[in-house]
Amino acid sequence: MTVSRSRSSSVTGVSHQLRLVARLDRVRLPLWVLGLGGTIAVSALAVPPLYDTPEKVAGYARVVGTSPVSHLMSGRQAGIDSLGGIVANEISQFAQLGVCLMVAFLVVRHTRAEEESGRAELLRSTVLGRHAATVAGLAYGVLAAVLIAAVTTVSMLSVGLPVAGSLTYGAGLALLGVVHTAVTLVAVQLSSTARGALGLAGAVIALGYVVRGVGAVQDNALVWASPFGWAQRMDAFGGEQWWPALLLLAATALLLAASGWLMTRRDFGGGVLAARPGRATARRGLATPFGLSARLRRGTALGWAVGLTLLGALYGAVVPSIPELVESNPEMADVVGAAAGGEALVDAFLAYIFLFMAVVSCGFAVSAVLRLRTEEEAGRAELVLGTPVHRSAWLGATAAFTFLVTAVLTVLMGAGLAVGYALGSGDWDHLTGHVGGQVAYLPGTLVVGAVAVALHGAVPRAGALAWALLAYVAVQVMLGELLGLPDWVEAVSPYSHLAEVPRESWEAWPSLALVVVAAALTAAGIAGFRRRDIASG
């Protein structure tokens, strides 16, 4: 009887923990569902009109279905010679990576981050069971993944795609999210910090994605070494098979068992992997606010640098195949507003890729700035500001480091795209032009980052609005033409005021104006930060 009570008490309070999570994320979860799910839905709705004839479908299957770059990015989608297969292939990269990253962020936020801040210890001092937070995190991650999968399935059904294929794709997407929820729970037990747990979970996501891509390119059994491959081999829209779902469920069960076992072998608040001891004396650079900001964000900056450079190289390798793809479906040229052929078509697609990658880099700018909120709530900001460091220097140094790294990321994206394009086409004469084309969009990225600075400085609780602006800009970039947004709505995006390089000639005055706007927003944020109270959690 004692053993039975012990087992039952380990999950005592799960329902209360879930209600607390729902209360804390009453805005965050809907934003994820609207942002990620909405983008998937609009993308699914936008694809069918582009492939409304058998000839266009066949052309897509011939070009994209045999492209090594497409296989690397999206795997080998079943039924690629059908409309359902095309829709699944077009949304897979964004949907699969998106759902995995979403559950990682959400689960870490309500498990490891709560322990790191000390709030979980307060809850554990009540009747909350040892595994209650883990079980609540699992349930929350599963719920989020199922919501995204439901939105995706309904979107597919709404455009008339087969029911079996739509349900199979949605189930695979949900199970992929569930697996990575369990992966994140293991990472939470291994690392003693939220950043470390996110890093481990993100590394597993990246590894699985790359392994599936390499296996798809080589068309061998390597795809079976990745959960991404298992979800895709459920063959939605291509002779559906459900037995790979058993692999996803089995992996989830094993990972959850490992998470529970690891939790019993670590101290509360600590991780299985011991933290590396620091230096006996600090480096001289840490004596400055800029040096401290760089030290806190160097790992994140390095990860973004590697990821965005590779992303640029992948997109650059795709560009040479664009003319052949558009030749089989001239309406695709209308999406980017170019003639169906010639150099103008390539320039139009390059402009779209430059803009898309610029928007992606905004993610680093916003996250780097809003991390200051975590520093405040954890009490670490007060320790720094208790020294001779001025508030203006503290926030200004973070803004300066963020903008500097954002500029470096922009150059790296352009360089990656240039190299990928050169390798794909054999033309090495456009390296400088491609880097310059990417840099032309940097002022827009700086404005988005400056909005995050202004919000954190003046109204820190409204920091999520910076993410909302990023989500809007992403939707406007990818689907603005299809949505037919009014001019005044499009004008909210800073990128709408820039020339579409290389399709259009670069203009100095709009770029300079956006830089001035970014500087003004940054100054407003610093001024607001000097006047408000410091959050202490």
Side-chain angles (χ1 to χ4, degrees):
M1 292 300 293
T2 302
V3 173
S4 176
R5 285 197 301 271
S6 174
R7 287 180 177 175
S8 64
S9 63
S10 66
V11 293
T12 298
V14 169
S15 60
H16 297 284
Q17 184 79 11
L18 279 173
R19 285 199 294 271
L20 176 61
V21 169
R23 175 70 175 81
L24 293 173
D25 276 12
R26 63 190 183 280
V27 175
R28 189 179 301 264
L29 181 59
L31 284 177
W32 270 107
V33 174
L34 289 174
L36 177 58
T39 303
I40 293 172
V42 176
S43 300
L45 295 172
V47 171
L50 296 175
Y51 299 94
D52 54 357
T53 68
E55 292 75 18
K56 294 174 183 177
V57 172
Y60 183 95
R62 183 178 67 253
V63 178
V64 176
T66 58
S67 169
V69 176
S70 176
H71 292 159
L72 181 63
M73 296 169 65
S74 302
R76 290 181 178 266
Q77 176 62 45
I80 197 70
D81 56 351
S82 67
L83 183 58
I86 293 175
V87 171
N89 193 65
E90 287 295 305
I91 69 173
S92 282
Q93 181 185 10
F94 185 78
Q96 291 182 338
L97 287 175
V99 75
C100 293
L101 291 172
M102 176 190 68
V103 297
F105 279 107
L106 294 179
V107 172
V108 168
R109 168 176 162 80
H110 292 288
T111 51
R112 173 52 61 188
E114 291 294 294
E115 285 193 42
E116 189 177 4
S117 68
R119 290 187 292 267
E121 189 171 11
L122 294 176
L123 294 174
R124 282 284 299 277
S125 65
T126 64
V127 296
L128 196 67
R130 180 182 183 88
H131 296 290
T134 301
V135 174
L138 170 64
Y140 187 44
V142 170
L143 172 64
V146 169
L147 287 174
I148 296 298
V151 171
T152 304
T153 302
V154 171
S155 302
M156 290 179 163
L157 293 173
S158 67
V159 294
L161 298 184
V163 174
S166 301
L167 292 175
T168 302
Y169 186 87
L173 186 62
L175 289 173
L176 181 63
V178 171
V179 167
H180 283 280
T181 296
V183 167
T184 305
L185 289 174
V186 172
V188 163
Q189 313 310 324
L190 294 175
S191 176
S192 59
T193 66
R195 277 189 300 154
L198 280 174
L200 290 173
V204 173
I205 293 171
L207 179 63
Y209 181 74
V210 171
V211 167
R212 189 277 304 272
V214 172
V217 170
Q218 298 177 349
D219 196 15
N220 58 26
L222 194 59
V223 296
W224 293 103
S226 165
F228 286 89
W230 304 341
Q232 191 164 49
R233 286 316 308 268
M234 291 177 69
D235 291 347
F237 305 104
E240 292 77 14
Q241 52 183 5
W242 284 80
W243 67 264
L246 299 176
L247 296 176
L248 294 164
L249 292 172
T252 300
L254 290 174
L255 289 165
L256 290 177
S259 175
W261 183 79
L262 290 171
M263 189 172 186
T264 62
R265 282 157 178 79
R266 69 171 178 88
D267 293 331
F268 185 77
V272 174
L273 301 178
R276 186 177 61 180
R279 292 163 51 95
T281 58
R283 291 187 174 90
R284 184 173 301 176
L286 287 177
T288 66
F290 185 87
L292 178 59
S293 180
R295 175 64 180 82
L296 292 174
R297 294 163 178 80
R298 66 180 184 181
T300 303
L302 179 60
W304 277 90
V306 173
L308 291 180
T309 302
L310 292 175
L311 179 66
L314 286 172
Y315 281 129
V318 170
V319 172
S321 66
I322 292 300
E324 184 181 358
L325 179 60
V326 173
E327 183 180 353
S328 64
N329 188 0
E331 274 104 353
M332 284 193 64
D334 296 334
V335 175
V336 293
E343 186 176 345
L345 174 64
V346 174
D347 285 347
F349 272 92
L350 280 172
Y352 176 82
I353 292 171
F354 286 148
L355 183 54
F356 176 77
M357 291 197 299
V359 172
V360 173
S361 69
C362 290
F364 168 79
V366 173
S367 63
V369 171
L370 295 186
R371 187 182 168 187
L372 286 172
R373 180 66 175 172
T374 303
E375 296 296 306
E376 285 190 43
E377 292 178 342
R380 293 187 290 268
E382 282 188 294
L383 296 177
V384 175
L385 295 175
T387 69
V389 174
H390 195 272
R391 288 191 179 201
S392 299
W394 173 241
L395 181 55
T398 298
F401 177 78
T402 299
F403 295 154
L404 175 61
V405 173
T406 300
V408 172
L409 293 177
T410 300
V411 173
L412 290 175
M413 287 188 296
L417 185 142
V419 172
Y421 180 86
L423 292 174
S425 65
D427 182 2
W428 293 85
D429 297 333
H430 295 82
L431 295 178
T432 303
H434 288 162
V435 174
Q438 188 65 67
V439 172
Y441 294 89
L442 176 60
T445 308
L446 295 179
V447 169
V448 175
V451 168
V453 175
L455 289 170
H456 174 76
V459 195
R461 291 185 179 275
L465 292 177
W467 290 112
L469 173 61
L470 175 54
Y472 164 75
V473 171
V475 172
Q476 193 271 335
V477 166
M478 292 186 290
L479 304 167
E481 292 291 333
L482 295 171
L483 295 176
L485 299 174
D487 291 342
W488 66 271
V489 176
E490 290 192 355
V492 174
S493 169
Y495 297 105
S496 67
H497 305 283
L498 295 172
E500 298 180 14
V501 178
R503 184 184 174 192
E504 300 173 351
S505 298
W506 177 74
E507 298 178 1
W509 286 112
S511 298
L512 180 60
L514 289 180
V515 171
V516 171
V517 170
L521 288 169
T522 302
I526 293 174
F529 186 57
R530 292 174 60 183
R531 292 180 175 85
R532 70 170 174 84
D533 293 334
I534 298 296
S536 58

